[in-house]
Amino acid sequence: MDIDVLFQDLYPALYRYLHRLTGDADEAEDVAQESFVRLLRQSLPEEEARPWLFTVATNLVRDRARKRQRHLRLSDSVPGPTREERPDVSAERADRIQRVRAALAEVPERDRMLLMMREEGFKYDEIARIIGVAPGSVGTLLSRALRRFADVYREQNEVEDVDDAR
Amino acid sequence: MMHVDDGVLMAYMDDELSPAAKAEAAEHVLACPDCRQRLDALRAADEALTGALALVSVPAPVARAHAEFHRTAGRRGGIGRSVLAGPFVRAAGLVLLLAAGASAAVPGSPVRNWIRTKLVSNEAAQPGTAMDRTSGVSILPSEGQVDISIDDAARGTRLRVRVVDAVRATVTVPEAKRSPVFHTSPGHIGVSGVSGRVLVDLPKAATVLHVSVNGEPYVAGGNGSLRSVVTAETRDGELMFTLH
């Protein structure tokens, strides 16, 4: 399997992970691109390409956030339309998207990465290796992150329902 | 009764427990309403997350990113290589090369015929041959993929791209006023210094197709279909561009 086939196979999932993690389509595209370019310099067994890419991409996101000297925050503003987002997205949908991002922002950065990795189908031992946590702690960290997200998301939706009812 | 902690419930939900631990957890959940309720809450939270993520997802710009990757990687000197290199693979490659060389020595061998075809195709690109002034090159796809790059095209050059029912990809520059320069690598034709018309025929069976001009993606496609990335005229399934 060569790099072009790997690109076609893995780019969509990597982009999706990065976009969900950062809430920024342009950053997701930049980081995904850089990760694949770095992959060119590697000699890897095929089965290691995917975890390697996600590891590099995760580290790049962390590095960028550190350079910006701020924590990853997804809810400060609704990102403006990018090339891939429809400009005619309704106000209601934009509001729902904002609530999702606000809820995700309440989950600490590392735990958000854990959740997004899990969403991409990574096993617990892979997640532990990529994120850099003890394998035995992944279940506990995920359960806390999942509960945290769900509680905040539910609260936001309840507030919205009350506002609508007024 | 000892309850199961959330980490174990999460691992149970994700099928990450060993068979013995899974059986133990399943038995406990069956008998313990508290733990069953917590497991249900985790499942509900998981569904909420999945639904929420579906709201914020946007499609990945694969075609654009792939073309950009070719440009970036080309500038950094490393496209077209397999990332799967290692001593064993390199040794296997050497054995194959030696075998191909031995096969090429046999009259009528497919390897010999392929080499002859490639040389004839390349000879057509050279000026002053006994052939007509049409210059062209054809290649086979590499792993089902074809990449065509056109550089240093004269202003007003007309580019025509279409899918054909053929095995090879072909780039032809008919009535070339100046001699275009062709270069090829597995699955790739590059041509520079073109004017007049450039005709690109892409095999229907190729799974990934790219055509770029001066580093900019113009056409993407695969499996018999084409899509123009920039403004194009279309006629009978052919894409036509005037290069600026």
Side-chain angles (χ1 to χ4, degrees):
Chain A
M1 179 176 282
D2 71 14
I3 190 67
D4 285 322
V5 174
L6 271 176
F7 193 98
Q8 292 287 331
D9 278 351
L10 299 178
Y11 183 88
L14 185 64
Y15 175 87
R16 181 174 55 230
Y17 164 73
L18 290 166
H19 185 251
R20 286 172 172 178
L21 195 61
T22 66
D24 185 328
D26 291 333
E27 178 163 356
E29 202 170 333
D30 286 346
V31 172
Q33 190 71 230
E34 179 62 28
S35 302
F36 271 97
V37 170
R38 291 186 185 205
L39 182 62
L40 279 176
R41 299 185 214 135
Q42 304 302 313
S43 297
L44 292 171
E46 183 180 319
E47 63 272 15
E48 287 187 24
R50 183 168 176 259
W52 188 92
L53 274 171
F54 275 75
T55 302
V56 166
T58 300
N59 290 338
L60 283 171
V61 167
R62 280 183 180 141
D63 290 346
R64 283 174 171 230
R66 272 198 290 270
K67 281 176 186 167
R68 286 194 297 267
Q69 295 185 334
R70 63 179 172 89
H71 293 295
L72 287 176
R73 291 183 62 85
L74 304 181
S75 62
D76 286 350
S77 62
V78 176
T82 67
R83 283 169 291 188
E84 296 303 325
E85 292 174 0
R86 294 179 52 200
D88 62 343
V89 65
S90 68
E92 184 192 341
R93 184 178 164 83
D95 186 52
R96 287 163 72 197
I97 291 171
Q98 172 63 13
R99 274 184 268 145
V100 171
R101 291 196 168 136
L104 285 170
E106 291 297 319
V107 178
E109 175 188 314
R110 182 200 59 185
D111 295 350
R112 196 159 63 239
M113 290 173 173
L114 286 162
L115 282 177
M116 298 305 122
M117 289 264 168
R118 173 179 172 267
E119 287 294 313
E120 291 303 325
F122 283 98
K123 305 298 282 178
Y124 281 18
D125 58 350
E126 291 174 313
I127 293 172
R129 208 166 50 239
I130 292 170
I131 302 295
V133 297
S137 68
V138 173
T140 302
L141 292 171
L142 278 172
S143 66
R144 281 185 203 152
L146 202 48
R147 285 192 191 286
R148 177 68 182 147
F149 168 80
D151 288 345
V152 173
Y153 192 48
R154 187 173 48 247
E155 276 171 27
Q156 288 180 341
N157 285 328
E158 282 168 359
V159 167
E160 185 66 20
D161 289 345
V162 166
D163 285 347
D164 286 345
R166 286 206 188 118
Chain B
M1 177 189 280
M2 289 287 292
H3 292 293
V4 177
D5 72 36
D6 278 358
V8 174
L9 285 177
M10 189 79 202
Y12 173 70
M13 188 173 80
D14 287 345
D15 200 20
E16 287 276 349
L17 295 177
S18 68
K22 181 177 174 181
E24 195 178 321
E27 191 180 326
H28 177 87
V29 164
L30 208 57
C32 176
D34 259 353
C35 289
R36 197 160 57 244
Q37 191 177 37
R38 285 190 294 123
L39 180 62
D40 288 343
L42 276 176
R43 285 186 174 136
D46 187 30
E47 279 178 27
L49 176 66
T50 302
L53 290 176
L55 270 178
V56 298
S57 290
V58 293
V62 181
R64 181 177 74 229
H66 199 179
E68 174 62 30
F69 172 66
H70 269 255
R71 281 197 301 277
T72 307
R75 280 198 300 273
R76 297 195 199 184
I79 197 67
R81 297 186 286 114
S82 169
V83 298
L84 304 176
F88 176 77
V89 173
R90 283 193 291 268
L94 182 59
V95 167
L96 284 172
L97 191 62
L98 290 172
S103 176
V106 176
S109 78
V111 173
R112 190 167 182 150
N113 290 337
W114 176 83
I115 292 172
R116 184 187 301 122
T117 304
K118 199 166 186 335
L119 284 175
V120 169
S121 298
N122 281 334
E123 279 171 4
Q126 301 307 313
T129 64
M131 303 177 73
D132 63 26
R133 294 187 62 200
T134 298
S135 295
V137 165
S138 67
I139 55 153
L140 288 167
S142 173
E143 303 273 354
Q145 299 176 66
V146 173
D147 181 62
I148 309 292
S149 55
I150 299 164
D151 296 294
D152 189 26
R155 190 183 174 85
T157 300
R158 294 276 293 167
L159 167 65
R160 190 269 288 139
V161 181
R162 66 182 181 183
V163 167
V164 293
D165 195 5
V167 174
R168 306 177 73 84
T170 305
V171 176
T172 312
V173 185
E175 300 151 8
K177 291 183 176 60
R178 51 178 177 155
S179 302
V181 176
F182 290 88
H183 54 93
T184 63
S185 58
H188 174 247
I189 298 175
V191 60
S192 58
V194 296
S195 60
R197 288 187 301 149
V198 179
L199 308 177
V200 175
D201 289 341
L202 301 170
K204 190 186 295 185
T207 54
V208 178
L209 301 167
H210 287 125
V211 179
S212 62
V213 177
N214 298 329
E216 297 294 322
Y218 265 50
V219 178
N223 296 312
S225 70
L226 293 176
R227 181 176 59 83
S228 63
V229 179
V230 299
T231 305
E233 303 162 38
T234 58
R235 186 181 62 204
D236 299 329
E238 300 179 348
L239 299 174
M240 284 166 292
F241 309 87
T242 301
L243 308 185
H244 302 289

